[in-house]
């Protein structure tokens, strides 16, 4: 028996609704955005341009029975949530829109994208310096963490105190020393009576507290606008969606502190391609980050779908990513043993999962399976690697001699056999060996013996 140390799947906080219910709530928040995205997708010409032109805005309002303001807000949300994608001046349906009715994970990721963009959904008060707004946005994660840890309403004064502390820390980190006794600032022009933002920007010692209060109100309203929290009289409370999203982000910090290639939002194929030139450690970090943003079932299914494709490099990388998944992937990996193109990879995965040393795992393959894997790996090298690497790949063949290898390669029936042999013949420096490999490639191509 062997002991496998795997990190248990993290559990959301007690009381968190099931993902299906969270997705239902997210669909409700983005209902207008989805309607507008579908309308734009089915509207040729000016109706699908971005930003939404005035005449298209009127047409959409009429068609959808919404006010122009609702259409404009929904359009912005559709863009921020990835329901539409901008290509020059044209908007096209995003992949999330196509998956919206059937894929809860796509819905939740779309809502999280909107949640992350709350400061764009709700415009900052006028008259406030951009730097102060940026500080507030940077401090909001601490405010959200307090709300999440409190698991209930938190008073606005407590949130304001935390926001002020975080802003002061940001100033200290940037070595911005506040004015103290005996230190004077250049005189500011007298401020005319005006709105709170004007006074907050110019009222000296009271400026910091007033400005923080104004920015906190803006942040809470923005987060409420995307469905992350609700506002009561003098307090704020995270919604189930907001509570879940903050927990996910905290969990991702713990589980996947780094995502070197930044591929969390990419498809499995694009993520694997982004990892192709990473060393094993950073690649595993990237796989963990990508997996942390998805349910295990959907992630495993997507990786196996990529493994079934034509790119041999992605096939091998998909099983590397599945090694990071560990035990939850075992049933699906065992189920593909009947598929010839995946069987060698699945056998090696299962051997390592059951505790065999990776160097000895090759023993579980039959000679035919090992030969098939040799050709598949050579195809990956031919497509993505260097010439010298393909030549060195000869040494990994189990046959021991080139003639024996060529005999068994011709018999194994791999669809890339001809291309691999042609590439190997072109790369090998030995003319006699290259000639033999070319002859084998010709025989496979023509069906000769």
């Amino acid at each position: 028996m062997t002991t496998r140390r795997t990190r248990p799947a993290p559990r959301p906080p007690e009381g968190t609704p099931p993902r299906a219910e969270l997705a239902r709530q997210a669909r409700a928040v983005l209902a207008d955005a989805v309607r507008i995205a579908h309308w734009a997708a089915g509207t040729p010409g000016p109706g699908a341009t971005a930003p939404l032109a005035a005449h298209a805005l009127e047409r959409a309002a009429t068609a959808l029975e919404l006010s122009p303001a609702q259409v404009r807000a929904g359009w912005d949300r559709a863009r921020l949530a990835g329901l539409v994608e901008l290509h020059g001046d044209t908007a096209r349906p995003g992949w999330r829109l196509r998956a919206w009715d059937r894929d809860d994970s796509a819905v939740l990721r779309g809502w999280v994208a909107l949640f992350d963009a709350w400061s764009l959904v709700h415009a900052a008060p006028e008259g406030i310096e951009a730097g102060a707004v940026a500080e507030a946005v940077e401090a909001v994660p601490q405010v959200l963490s307090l709300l999440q840890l409190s698991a209930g309403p938190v008073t606005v004064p407590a949130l304001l105190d935390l926001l002020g502390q975080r802003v002061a820390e940001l100033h200290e980190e940037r070595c911005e020393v506040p004015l103290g006794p005996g230190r004077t600032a250049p005189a500011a022009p007298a401020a005319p009576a005006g709105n709170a933002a004007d006074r907050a920007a110019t009222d000296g010692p009271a400026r910091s507290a007033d400005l923080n209060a104004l920015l906190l109100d803006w942040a809470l309203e923005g987060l409420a606008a995307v469905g992350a929290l609700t506002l009561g009289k003098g307090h704020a409370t995270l919604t189930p969606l907001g509570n879940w999203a903050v927990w996910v982000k905290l969990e991702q910090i713990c589980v996947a502190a780094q995502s070197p290639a930044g591929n969390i939002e990419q498809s499995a194929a694009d993520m694997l391609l982004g990892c192709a030139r990473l060393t094993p450690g950073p690649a595993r970090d990237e796989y963990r980050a990508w997996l942390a943003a998805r349910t295990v079932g959907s992630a495993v299914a997507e990786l196996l779908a990529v493994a079934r494709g034509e790119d041999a490099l992605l096939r091998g990388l998909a099983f590397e990513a599945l090694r990071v998944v560990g035990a939850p992937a075992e049933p699906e990996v065992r189920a593909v043993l009947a598929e010839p193109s995946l069987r060698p990879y699945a056998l090696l995965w299962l051997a390592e999962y059951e505790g065999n040393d990776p160097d000895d795992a090759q023993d579980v393959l039959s000679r035919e399976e090992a030969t098939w894997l040799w050709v598949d790996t050579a195809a990956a090298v031919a497509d993505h690697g260097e010439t010298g690497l393909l030549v060195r790949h000869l040494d990994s063949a189990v046959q021991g001699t080139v003639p024996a290898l060529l005999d068994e390669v011709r018999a194994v029936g791999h669809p890339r056999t001809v291309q691999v042999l042609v590439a190997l013949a072109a790369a090998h420096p030995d003319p006699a060996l290259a000639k033999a490999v070319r002859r084998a490639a010709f025989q496979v191509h023509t069906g000769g013996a």
Side-chain angles (χ1 to χ4, degrees):
M1 293 183 63
T2 60
T3 301
R4 299 184 56 82
R5 292 181 295 176
T6 58
R7 187 182 189 275
R11 294 182 177 273
E14 186 176 351
T16 302
R19 286 178 68 86
E21 172 59 20
L22 291 171
R24 187 197 65 76
Q25 295 176 17
R27 287 186 175 97
V29 171
L30 285 161
D32 285 350
V34 170
R35 292 180 64 202
I36 293 165
H38 278 302
W39 175 85
T43 303
T49 59
L52 213 57
H55 59 287
L57 186 68
E58 295 173 3
R59 287 164 49 204
T62 301
L64 301 172
E65 298 182 348
L66 298 171
S67 70
Q70 287 174 313
V71 172
R72 189 178 294 107
W75 178 251
D76 287 342
R77 289 172 180 233
R79 293 169 59 189
L80 294 170
L83 296 168
V84 291
E85 298 173 353
L86 303 186
H87 299 266
D89 291 332
T90 302
R92 300 173 187 167
W95 70 269
R96 285 186 182 135
L97 183 64
R98 295 189 290 271
W100 197 254
D101 293 330
R102 57 179 170 77
D103 189 338
D104 289 348
S105 292
V107 172
L108 290 172
R109 290 202 295 273
W111 181 83
V112 168
L114 180 70
F115 167 66
D116 288 339
W118 67 266
S119 60
L120 301 179
V121 172
H122 188 62
E126 295 182 1
I128 296 181
E129 183 184 9
V133 172
E135 289 173 352
V137 173
E138 195 171 348
V140 158
Q142 279 70 28
V143 172
L144 289 168
S145 294
L146 175 60
L147 285 163
Q148 200 265 344
L149 291 170
S150 299
V154 179
T155 64
V156 169
L159 297 175
L160 181 59
D161 183 57
L162 179 61
L163 180 74
Q165 290 179 32
R166 181 57 184 148
V167 169
E169 290 172 359
L170 293 172
H171 288 174
E172 185 176 348
E173 289 168 6
R174 296 172 185 137
C175 299
E176 296 177 8
V177 182
L179 295 175
R183 303 186 64 184
T184 59
N195 61 32
D198 294 332
R199 294 195 301 276
T202 57
D203 277 357
R207 181 192 73 84
S208 182
D210 290 345
L211 183 58
N212 286 343
L214 191 64
L215 289 169
L216 178 64
D217 287 344
W218 163 67
L220 295 178
E221 290 168 2
L223 291 163
V226 299
L229 53 79
T230 57
L231 296 175
K233 189 173 182 180
H235 62 79
T237 309
L238 284 178
T239 64
L241 269 177
N243 188 65
W244 169 81
V246 175
W247 170 78
V248 166
K249 291 184 179 298
L250 291 172
E251 183 63 24
Q252 285 177 354
I253 291 172
C254 298
V255 176
Q258 59 264 39
S259 173
N263 288 307
I264 288 178
E265 277 288 318
Q266 301 297 323
S267 67
D270 290 341
M271 180 274 293
L272 292 172
L273 280 175
C275 296
R277 295 193 178 277
L278 296 177
T279 54
R284 283 191 292 271
D285 290 336
E286 189 69 5
Y287 301 151
R288 290 188 186 98
W290 186 85
L291 291 164
R294 289 155 179 80
T295 63
V296 172
S298 65
V300 171
E302 193 174 348
L303 289 168
L304 288 175
V306 171
R308 293 185 179 97
E310 296 180 356
D311 194 323
L313 175 66
L314 294 188
R315 187 159 27 254
L317 291 175
F319 276 85
E320 288 299 318
L322 288 168
R323 285 179 173 84
V324 174
V325 178
E330 184 203 357
E332 287 76 13
V333 172
R334 200 172 290 281
V336 304
L337 287 173
E339 301 180 37
S341 64
L342 302 187
R343 179 175 173 81
Y345 293 95
L347 286 170
L348 292 176
W349 190 97
L350 289 166
E352 292 181 31
Y353 170 74
E354 290 165 1
N356 290 298
D357 188 285
D359 292 336
D360 299 330
Q362 293 278 346
D363 295 342
V364 303
L365 301 180
S366 69
R367 196 170 176 100
E368 182 178 1
E369 290 161 350
T371 303
W372 196 99
L373 183 61
W374 185 92
V375 178
D376 207 49
T377 306
V381 175
D383 289 344
H384 301 277
E386 300 175 356
T387 299
L389 188 58
L390 185 60
V391 174
R392 291 195 296 275
H393 184 55
L394 271 174
D395 296 334
S396 66
V398 298
Q399 284 75 14
T401 68
V402 172
L405 170 65
L406 294 178
D407 286 341
E408 295 185 34
V409 162
R410 284 182 296 190
V412 79
H414 193 289
R416 294 292 304 279
T417 298
V418 173
Q419 293 96 321
V420 163
L421 293 177
V422 168
L424 181 58
H428 206 284
D430 184 336
L433 189 147
K435 182 178 179 180
V437 173
R438 275 194 300 271
R439 186 185 304 114
F442 178 79
Q443 289 171 342
V444 174
H445 178 63
T446 59

